[in-house]
DNA sequence: TGTAATCGAAACGGAACGTCTGGTATGGTA
DNA sequence: TACCATACCAGACGTTCCGTTTCGATTACA
């Protein structure tokens, strides 16, 4: 809902079915046509809606796509495996699932390109994308500290960028299939890198 | 030269000054207008050249931009600092300089988006981008092994993706200013992560 | 009951695409 | 030296999508 334009208070209310149809059509087109091939006209046609109804809600294609794709605010906590490496491994696996999801993987590069000249929006993407991850990462570190497995002064931001950056580099840039071992190896490298500082 | 279309053998040869003018105008426009705002017509006008001369050499905007921006094949070796961490730190600093260069930073997201549906080209970007880095990384590890500082079985690809991914995540997505400490911290984390496996 | 914002549909001018046709210039080949 | 294939610039072309605007009809809140 972040990028939607506000509705007026008087007059005929917006039809929620129209809203849903637009978002649904956007996701569908993203997945089987790609970000570049997606057009506002195409979304309108697929949703059985006038262009007007779209421009009334979103200021453009990037804003529409962002809301359509990155709305799932899943905050499932990381289960306690008993070890820091185990917890981080699961966290990385979640990260892979998230970035490798069809809609997200296809949309992200295009969004970054379209928001290239808007640092504020890029920053917002990063926040929205990593807010949940960061919260869970902090919790995982707290558990490790409680176990005495970890000294204080954990560089959370660096670790966040390392984990997310590495995974994103695979999925977004290389597009290579993520091997099942990657999360474990990556987690092991980062965790041992932190613990023996 | 990778994405250029081949020249014919007979007839008038292509003018190398035209070629240079096109590439130069492309870089200039990328830097002060952005990837999205760059158009073939604009490049032609700025270069004092006909559209025809551009389409004769490149099949489209992405190919042109790629060649214009990622042609510098600098392979300066990493100086031997005497420690693995020192060497990797310098390597990361080079990486930051490369990705934070105005033209590269502005062009990369757009290129990835335009090549989204062409895995082969995306892979090629990764190779071209990291080929030099990989070679230098391997050399740095060899030196460390000769010093007895490192055991065998170094996961080079994982390290490459971690270093490049983290840096790219800062510059490309976050767009945050890279602090001078980042290369040292990142190098320290990764290196200790490897050494104590 | 009236008012204001919604709805789908369609037309609008603008911008950029990639192709193509002129007319001219240039250099290797015969 | 004459030829000819190609490169050069300029501009016109049809297409696509953009984002805005108009239209008449619809819908709820005041």
């Amino acid at each position: 809902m972040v990028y939607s334009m506000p509705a007026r208070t008087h007059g005929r209310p917006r039809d929620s079915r129209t809203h849903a149809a637009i978002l649904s059509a956007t996701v569908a087109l993203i997945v089987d046509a790609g970000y570049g091939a997606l057009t506002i006209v195409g979304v309108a046609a697929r949703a059985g809606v006038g262009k007007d109804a779209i421009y009334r809600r979103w200021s453009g294609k990037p804003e529409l796509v962002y809301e359509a794709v990155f709305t799932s605010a899943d905050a499932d906590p990381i289960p306690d495996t008993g070890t820091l490496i185990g917890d981080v491994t699961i966290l990385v696996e979640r990260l892979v699932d998230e970035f490798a999801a069809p809609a997200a993987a296809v949309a992200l590069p295009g969004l970054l390109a379209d928001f290239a000249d808007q640092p504020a929006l890029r920053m917002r993407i990063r926040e929205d994308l990593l807010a949940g991850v960061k919260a869970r990462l902090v919790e995982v570190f707290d558990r490790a500290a409680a176990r005495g497995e970890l000294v204080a002064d954990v560089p959370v931001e660096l670790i966040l960028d390392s984990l997310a950056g590495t995974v994103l580099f695979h999925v977004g840039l290389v597009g290579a299939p993520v091997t099942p071992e990657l999360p474990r190896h990556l987690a092991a490298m980062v965790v041992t890198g932190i613990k023996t500082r």
Side-chain angles (χ1 to χ4, degrees), chain A residues 111-132:
Chain A
L111 284 178
L112 292 182
D114 283 351
F115 287 148
D117 57 342
Q118 304 183 44
L121 287 184
R122 272 211 320 272
M123 205 62 99
R124 186 155 206 169
I125 289 183
R126 194 236 183 205
E127 298 307 321
D128 292 355
L129 221 54
L130 295 190

Side-chain angles (χ1 to χ4, degrees), chain A residues 6-195:
Chain A
R8 303 290 183 182
T9 53
H10 295 309
R12 175 179 175 178
R14 291 183 186 162
D15 192 330
S16 63
R17 289 170 308 170
T18 300
H19 200 89
I22 295 172
L23 290 178
S24 170
T26 302
V27 172
L29 280 177
I30 276 282
V31 170
D32 62 52
Y35 182 87
L38 179 137
T39 68
I40 299 291
V41 180
V43 172
R46 180 136 179 176
V49 153
K51 288 200 299 179
D52 197 29
I54 297 179
Y55 282 112
R56 193 177 297 116
R57 293 173 168 81
W58 297 275
S59 58
K61 166 175 162 178
E63 291 80 6
L64 167 61
V65 170
Y66 183 82
E67 179 162 345
V69 173
F70 296 106
T71 297
S72 61
D74 54 312
D76 292 347
I78 304 293
D80 192 341
T81 64
T83 65
L84 180 56
I85 288 186
D87 287 1
V88 174
T89 298
I90 291 181
L91 191 121
V92 173
E93 284 170 352
R94 295 272 179 86
L95 219 48
V96 170
D97 289 343
E98 191 173 351
F99 288 158
V106 173
L108 199 51
L111 284 178
L112 292 182
D114 283 351
F115 287 148
D117 57 342
Q118 304 183 44
L121 287 184
R122 272 211 320 272
M123 205 62 99
R124 186 155 206 169
I125 289 183
R126 194 236 183 205
E127 298 307 321
D128 292 355
L129 221 54
L130 295 190
V133 181
K134 182 174 179 178
R136 284 171 278 175
L137 188 65
V138 169
E139 190 196 336
V140 162
F141 283 149
D142 286 345
R143 291 205 295 246
R147 276 193 299 260
E149 196 181 355
L150 195 63
V151 292
D153 273 12
V154 175
V156 177
E157 295 296 330
L158 174 63
I159 297 169
L160 256 185
D161 286 342
S162 294
L163 298 181
T166 305
V167 171
L168 207 58
F169 191 74
H170 264 281
V171 176
L173 175 50
V174 182
V178 178
T179 62
E181 296 84 18
L182 174 72
R184 190 162 42 84
H185 290 334
L186 178 58
M189 185 174 75
V190 170
V191 168
T192 59
I194 304 160
K195 288 167 72 174

